[in-house]
Amino acid sequence: MDMVDAGPNGAPNKGQRGRNQQLVLDVLRQADKPLGAYEVLGLLRDEGLRAPLQIYRALERLIADGAVHRIESVNAYALCSHDHCGTNGHAVFAICTQCGIATELRDPALDRLLNRLARKQRFSTKATTVELSGLCKGCANG
């Protein structure tokens, strides 16, 4: 794996991406909906990525950097559409069960509510993902 400006543990410094991470990021950037790891692998075979572990490692790093989110309910990954997600770990997605499009939403009031609920339970969150499942406007009207 090609590295760019690697840190002491051999991993790229935050904000710096290795070749595999950049390839995965580019594929997610071009996708019109979240993609599963094996879908990403299929799209990157011509680039020399052959093993699922290569994709999963790249995705783990991109998630840690706040560039990508994992959407648990559909076992897929989506590009973060907000610059500040990596700083607080909150993400809200509206996921269409018909076409698969996932829209990332942002609401500071919801962030405050989730933080308040966690504090009330004396729970320290590392990340929060809220998933709304239903039909997008296009599928609901179609």
Side-chain angles (χ1 to χ4, degrees):
M1 182 166 115
D2 295 335
M3 293 288 180
V4 179
D5 195 21
N9 63 357
N13 291 327
K14 188 169 181 135
Q16 304 273 325
R17 295 198 170 86
R19 178 179 180 273
N20 293 359
Q21 293 164 15
Q22 191 60 52
L23 288 170
V24 169
L25 193 61
D26 291 343
V27 163
L28 292 175
R29 192 173 280 131
Q30 294 169 9
D32 60 351
K33 64 179 186 175
L35 299 175
Y38 281 89
E39 290 175 289
V40 173
L41 178 62
L43 293 168
L44 291 176
R45 285 199 188 277
D46 289 344
E47 296 292 334
L49 278 76
R50 302 269 192 272
L53 188 57
Q54 291 174 294
I55 302 301
Y56 284 114
R57 283 183 180 156
L59 286 166
E60 285 174 13
R61 180 67 181 171
L62 291 168
I63 290 168
D65 286 349
V68 169
H69 295 289
R70 181 163 190 260
I71 303 176
E72 301 281 338
S73 65
V74 292
N75 195 23
Y77 301 85
L79 186 68
C80 177
S81 62
H82 301 286
D83 291 336
H84 55 284
C85 282
T87 62
N88 66 20
H90 296 302
V92 179
F93 286 95
I95 305 161
C96 182
T97 56
Q98 188 167 323
C99 69
I101 289 176
T103 303
E104 186 175 359
L105 310 171
R106 202 77 191 143
D107 187 333
L110 180 58
D111 289 346
R112 288 190 299 273
L113 172 64
L114 293 171
N115 285 329
R116 189 172 67 239
L117 290 171
R119 279 193 314 272
K120 188 175 180 180
Q121 295 298 314
R122 295 186 179 154
F123 189 80
S124 176
T125 59
K126 290 185 179 180
T128 304
T129 303
V130 176
E131 300 179 21
L132 307 173
S133 180
L135 296 176
C136 68
K137 182 179 179 180
C139 291
N141 294 332

